[in-house]
Amino acid sequence: MEITSFKKILLGVQRTFNFYDPLTRGVDLNFSSVLHYPVFIVGTPRSGSTLLYQLLIQQGNFAYISNLMALMPSFMVLSARLFKKFQEVEKVKSSKYGYIPGAFSPSEAGVLFQKWFDSKPSLESKRLIRNTFILISRYHEAPLLTKNLKNSLRLANIYTIFPEARFIHITRKPLFNAQSILLTRRQLMKDESLWWSVAPENHEKILKEDPLYQVLWQVMEINKQIKKFQVTYEPSYIEISYENLCANPKKEINNIYKELGLLTPMNNLDKEVVVNNNQIVLNPEEWEKLSCFYKKLNASDFEGKSISSDPLAG
């Protein structure tokens, strides 16, 4: 069977079962512990978020939404209870642009989160979404950790539902982050002028700009929006850099656990997969142009504040 046909079948299954699990339709529930408050990983595409997601789950102290749960939301709470023992990440798997293969592997749950968080939810939807998170956390006796980078632009709506939520913002040095997005456009889209992944508001206005400018603007704008959310709402917020994660994964993971008030991880980290990919791949002319665009974007006053005078800075 062709991949495209298989994907159509999966999407059909997802549409058929794209409802709230009946188990969530009881009375309003509360988190059984402050340590069970949901945790959202946000950031830009190609910033190391999938690596961070798996490393945190590998320690065994987080619940997560599996591919199977995301495929059939109508049974996701039931699946969390029935297949709890299968939802373990012993080793970090190779991912493809955020997708981790395997029925019980961590999912980005894109369709699900689009339905839940793209717009401000009704009171009933808010109740059902909260109940879903709470029940999954209760079954696993752990906070529910999610990673979907489009949620980076939905933070206000998420905060409306979960004012107690914790947010982990992973960043990467802008030039290398932008380079990685451009290479993904070339490899996945087969056309570097085509937009890929998270699209901030008003991105249409820059679609005629050089692709190098587009990807750098994308990185800087998404991070700007996350920072704006942090300043406006003052949520429980942790920032971690991809570079620090690669340099000392144990220290960074331990710091996150400490910030969240969780027990120090006992499992060994899968260190062999933690490799810093910050290498210049673009030709010298492209890299120089990207650096110039960085200076231009800084000079154009990104919300009145210079991000950094160093084009390789985080």
Side-chain angles (χ1 to χ4, degrees), residues 17-59:
F17 298 102
N18 191 23
F19 302 98
Y20 295 104
D21 191 308
L23 294 174
T24 66
R25 298 187 179 277
V27 297
D28 292 356
L29 300 174
N30 295 309
F31 288 102
S32 56
S33 167
V34 295
L35 298 182
H36 291 175
Y37 290 166
V39 181
F40 294 86
I41 296 175
V42 295
T44 60
R46 310 302 296 169
S47 61
S49 60
T50 305
L51 173 63
L52 175 63
Y53 190 27
Q54 292 194 78
L55 287 175
L56 286 170
I57 293 172
Q58 185 193 6
Q59 303 311 303

Side-chain angles (χ1 to χ4, degrees), residues 46-273:
R46 310 302 296 169
S47 61
S49 60
T50 305
L51 173 63
L52 175 63
Y53 190 27
Q54 292 194 78
L55 287 175
L56 286 170
I57 293 172
Q58 185 193 6
Q59 303 311 303
N61 294 321
F62 286 100
Y64 64 87
I65 296 174
S66 68
N67 288 324
L68 178 63
M69 292 164 66
L71 180 63
M72 297 189 293
S74 297
F75 304 107
M76 68 182 306
V77 176
L78 180 63
S79 296
R81 184 170 63 181
L82 292 179
F83 303 116
K84 176 181 176 181
K85 66 178 181 179
F86 296 105
Q87 290 197 212
E88 297 180 357
V89 175
E90 295 181 357
K91 291 186 69 67
V92 173
K93 294 182 180 179
S94 176
S95 63
K96 189 172 184 179
Y97 308 114
Y99 174 74
I100 307 167
F104 300 107
S105 295
S107 173
E108 290 196 314
V111 174
L112 188 68
F113 290 146
Q114 180 180 21
K115 175 186 175 182
W116 286 357
F117 302 140
D118 247 8
S119 58
K120 191 173 181 179
S122 65
L123 289 176
E124 178 63 6
S125 294
K126 176 180 176 180
R127 186 177 72 86
L128 295 173
I129 295 168
R130 281 186 64 86
N131 283 355
T132 299
F133 273 64
I134 290 168
L135 285 172
I136 293 172
S137 292
R138 285 185 180 181
Y139 292 145
H140 287 263
E141 298 180 345
L144 178 57
L145 177 70
T146 65
K147 191 276 297 188
N148 184 292
L149 300 184
K150 291 186 178 181
N151 284 344
S152 302
L153 304 182
R154 302 165 177 155
L155 294 174
N157 290 335
I158 292 173
Y159 193 74
T160 297
I161 304 171
F162 298 108
E164 61 274 89
R166 288 92 176 273
F167 299 89
I168 302 175
H169 178 194
I170 184 166
T171 64
R172 184 178 181 181
K173 291 183 178 179
L175 292 192
F176 290 111
N177 198 163
Q179 173 186 250
S180 186
I181 294 175
L182 184 75
L183 295 176
T184 300
R185 286 187 178 195
R186 291 174 178 175
Q187 295 164 7
L188 188 63
M189 311 298 288
K190 308 301 181 185
D191 185 345
E192 67 177 29
S193 66
L194 295 179
W195 194 274
W196 176 75
S197 194
V198 186
E201 187 178 0
N202 297 324
H203 76 284
E204 301 90 349
K205 294 182 179 180
I206 66 161
L207 293 181
K208 293 184 179 180
E209 299 283 352
D210 189 299
L212 288 164
Y213 181 95
Q214 291 181 30
V215 293
L216 188 57
W217 180 90
Q218 182 182 14
V219 168
M220 296 173 72
E221 181 66 19
I222 293 170
N223 282 327
K224 169 188 163 185
Q225 292 300 321
I226 296 172
K227 289 285 190 179
K228 184 177 180 180
F229 164 76
Q230 179 202 6
V231 171
T232 303
Y233 292 89
E234 298 183 345
S236 177
Y237 175 92
I238 302 168
E239 185 170 323
I240 178 176
S241 78
Y242 166 76
E243 289 75 23
N244 288 344
L245 179 64
C246 293
N248 197 334
K250 183 176 180 180
K251 177 183 176 182
E252 296 303 312
I253 296 299
N254 283 344
N255 284 345
I256 291 175
Y257 268 70
K258 182 178 179 180
E259 289 285 335
L260 296 176
L262 301 177
L263 294 175
T264 302
M266 299 299 292
N267 297 337
N268 292 322
L269 286 169
D270 199 358
K271 294 181 181 179
E272 54 266 28
V273 302

